Amino acid sequence: MKDILKKMQETISKYAIVLSQVLKVDVEIVDDKLNRIAGTGMFKERINMNMSSEGYVIKKVIETGEKKIIQNPSMHPICIECPNKDSCQETFEVSTPIKLGHKVIGAIGFVCFTEKQKDHILENYNTFIEFLDQISDLIASKAIEVMENERNLAVIELFNNIIDKIEEGVIVFDTNYKISKINSIAKEMLKFPPDNNEITSIALKETGNEILNLTEYNLQINGESYDLAGKYFNINIGNYNKIFIFKDSNLIKENVLTLTASKEKIGLDRILGQSLPIRELKKKVEMIASSSSTVLINGESGTGKELFARALHEESDRANAPFVAINCAAIPDNLLESELFGYVKGAFTGADPKGKIGKFELAHNGTLFLDEIGDMPLYIQVKLLRALEEKEIVKLGSNKSIKVNVRVIAATNKNLDEMIINNSFREDLYYRLNVIPLQIPPLREREGDIRLLTSSFISRFSRLFNKNVVKIEDEFWSYIEKYPWQGNVRELQNTIEYVINMLEYPGVINTKLLPKKIKNVSMNLEFEDLNLEQMEKKIINKAIEIYGDDGDSKKIIAEKLGIGIATLYRKLKKYGL
């Protein structure tokens, strides 16, 4: 809560200007330490100054948490200690606290210096006092937002429509639900006629969706329909009855995608690998990219299934549309259905009262990646099959079908054939998903790619951690290439990140930097290679490759090995050479 109003200084300054313009008096807003955060008129030059030596009324408000209204400040007991009370020219003073719960975090005050100002306030007394309280509540609400989330959400609420420079559209309605004011952003978004009198009909209603904590509304103006996302406020100040602050719903939905999708473009050229299996896989991805058929990616954990899914999306005609990913194993069963299909308000106990948009809707015209599809419960598999076959979804708590144009890519490291036999995966869904199968090879089957990937990771992490690599010892490569990499590319990447973290001057990468697990497994494999019979078999086989396997060649091999020709023939028979 420390310096919370200071963090909001720019916004608070705008509120002070609005208050001053409406009340036609000088306004100041201070924090609980009596630091002036904002001010107009005579207070404008004293912003960011401490007013401990003045402001006796506002001090009392912060101490007591109660509003103070002073009719004749020079004669009031609160101001008796003020050294300038005899020369006081103030005719009227009002201060109200800004509270978070029961704690006072600041105060708003305004001062009248003339009888004309005082009469103006008294003529509109109830409205202005209510206006002052609303601003106080608004600042407190904004303070809660800042405390919960330090970043500025840029959702400028309520009276910022007067400034007409905010990014959101703003419409102000009067008590008869007619437009009293509309800012330039809203006019542009809604293709508004130049004259408000040309508006013959207008209707605003909730759609039941929520997008990034904003409610989605449908606005009908003269028969034209607009989907907007924003907030709707009842203010009841003068002729201003309601304020609607909004953005284009489709643009907000694009922002929602940042929760599930990386902005980084991952095409086939970003997937490293020169081995034959990877080259063939990339060629297949290029062939199927333009198709709308579902794809089932199989592969061990860590092989890069999502990378290929993203690459498939980037190479397709849907590249400019959303790529939405969801891990079916990472979401509890009771929440997965709502994550996929969304729900309407009141769909179930504990549901957000504003409803929710599901991943299928977010991925409309794009690609939906269902990772770990083997962990999807059977009852959701039924609903997924229907969505794939009919290209439409039904939200939880609704009976209305929504058409969706989505290409589905699923991935798993499980054996779905066995799961079908065990009745834990639907056979009809399997065939619907497995229209185009892709098998991602494990790293141990990608000959030559281990060194290529390792070099890439060394380069990446050395830059990231500002480490200088001057040499990579041959023994390090031997250990890296002997290790079976059960965790595949992900395990290799994590290992190299560890190695670079451990790297010290003079920047030589060697086996000492490897995790114990890597060294132990590689050493065990090396000792397996030291088996005498296996070594003898390899040596004889190598000699045959060099000298040939006819009779004369075998005599030369026996001589080179220092054994008799009969002994050589026995060993050839023994090893099946």
Side-chain angles (χ1 to χ4, degrees), residues 269-282:
D269 57 331
R270 298 293 302 275
I271 299 178
L272 296 179
Q274 298 175 349
S275 61
L276 179 60
I278 290 298
R279 293 202 308 270
E280 291 178 344
L281 188 58
K282 287 184 177 182

Side-chain angles (χ1 to χ4, degrees), residues 372-386:
E372 306 295 351
I373 190 71
D375 290 279
M376 179 178 286
L378 283 169
Y379 76 95
I380 301 180
Q381 292 179 30
V382 176
K383 200 165 185 178
L384 173 61
L385 179 63
R386 180 179 182 276

Side-chain angles (χ1 to χ4, degrees), residues 339-350:
E339 284 293 321
L340 283 171
F341 306 108
Y343 57 81
V344 297
K345 59 182 180 180
F348 53 87
T349 303

